[in-house]
Amino acid sequence: MATRGEATKERILAAAEGLVFERGYAGTSLDEIIEKVGLTKGAFFYHFKSKADLAQGIIERFSRQEQMLFEQWAERASALADDPLQDILLFFKFFEEFVDGAEDPLPGCMFASYAYQSGEFSDALNAQVQNELTEWGALFERKFEKLIAWREPRMQATASELTEAAMCVIEGALLLGRVYQDSKLLVRQSGQFRNYLQLLFAAK
């Protein structure tokens, strides 16, 4: 059970994340975050030493939540799949069901938001964002490695390249979905990527 201090810190991070998605990091002030959460400045600075400290907390929270979801879908898919192709197809299907069933459209990806404003952050934080993305991609790459070892693709493709493609589909669809205000775009494009994988690894 979270302590009162942990609950307050989580409220700050949740409020800050929402504002950063809406206005960007540079466009979000500490005063706005403090007002939204209903805290005093003293209470805020008890949890975060600075805006830079808050930025690190936001990316750590976002990464932790995303990684937990993807690992859950990966484990569930592996438990149900008869072969590595069905494993990866189920994984993306679970992802699509989550996105399609969300009460509110996904606001975007905090990794991308930080990348667009990398000049606002220290080298250490930018490196952390890269490391978090690499860890996220490693989950995809492990599944693609198993798939390629099980069946040779019909066209040249490495596990690393397929991982990059999967991440580009997700990140790109999040961006376009926000631009076009189309909450279903990500689901459609993930489905198209599943179709591509089925063709790429169809039995010869």
Side-chain angles (χ1 to χ4, degrees):
M1 183 175 179
T3 65
R4 183 175 179 181
E6 290 170 340
T8 299
K9 187 173 183 178
E10 173 62 21
R11 285 172 53 218
I12 295 171
L13 288 169
E17 180 181 290
L19 287 170
V20 170
F21 271 130
E22 181 183 341
R23 305 177 186 181
Y25 176 79
T28 301
S29 70
L30 290 183
D31 286 340
E32 289 174 310
I33 297 168
I34 291 168
E35 181 180 355
K36 186 171 183 178
V37 181
L39 294 175
T40 64
K41 284 192 175 182
F44 174 87
F45 286 111
Y46 174 80
H47 295 285
F48 299 98
K49 294 179 290 186
S50 63
K51 190 178 180 184
D53 189 31
L54 175 65
Q56 181 172 343
I58 293 170
I59 201 66
E60 288 175 350
R61 175 181 182 271
F62 179 83
S63 178
R64 183 171 61 251
Q65 292 179 336
E66 292 295 294
Q67 192 71 16
M68 181 179 66
L69 283 172
F70 277 84
E71 286 177 355
Q72 287 175 355
W73 297 327
E75 290 174 7
R76 184 181 169 198
S78 294
L80 294 173
D82 293 327
D83 58 56
L85 178 57
Q86 289 304 311
D87 184 338
I88 195 72
L89 296 178
L90 280 171
F91 173 83
F92 279 100
K93 188 65 177 176
F94 295 150
F95 167 66
E96 293 157 28
E97 289 174 353
F98 171 80
V99 174
D100 200 33
E103 292 184 7
D104 300 310
L106 298 185
C109 176
M110 191 58 67
F111 297 132
S113 179
Y114 273 42
Y116 295 144
Q117 302 176 79
S118 59
E120 297 288 331
F121 308 116
S122 67
D123 291 342
L125 185 53
N126 284 322
Q128 182 180 347
V129 172
Q130 182 178 348
N131 289 337
E132 299 287 3
L133 271 171
T134 300
E135 184 176 347
W136 181 40
L139 184 149
F140 288 96
E141 191 157 355
R142 287 193 295 271
K143 286 192 176 291
F144 286 128
E145 285 172 348
K146 288 178 63 177
L147 178 54
I148 290 172
W150 173 75
R151 177 175 292 165
E152 184 180 350
R154 299 177 70 89
M155 294 177 287
Q156 192 279 330
T158 67
S160 176
E161 290 167 343
L162 290 173
T163 295
E164 291 170 348
M167 295 174 73
C168 285
V169 166
I170 293 171
E171 295 294 335
L174 280 168
L175 173 61
L176 288 177
R178 186 165 180 174
V179 169
Y180 292 119
Q181 297 184 338
D182 183 350
S183 61
K184 304 301 181 184
L185 193 149
L186 175 55
V187 174
R188 294 197 305 273
Q189 292 309 308
S190 179
Q192 288 298 319
F193 188 68
R194 280 192 294 112
N195 291 341
Y196 163 69
L197 290 176
Q198 290 186 78
L199 292 172
L200 184 62
F201 290 97
K204 295 181 180 179

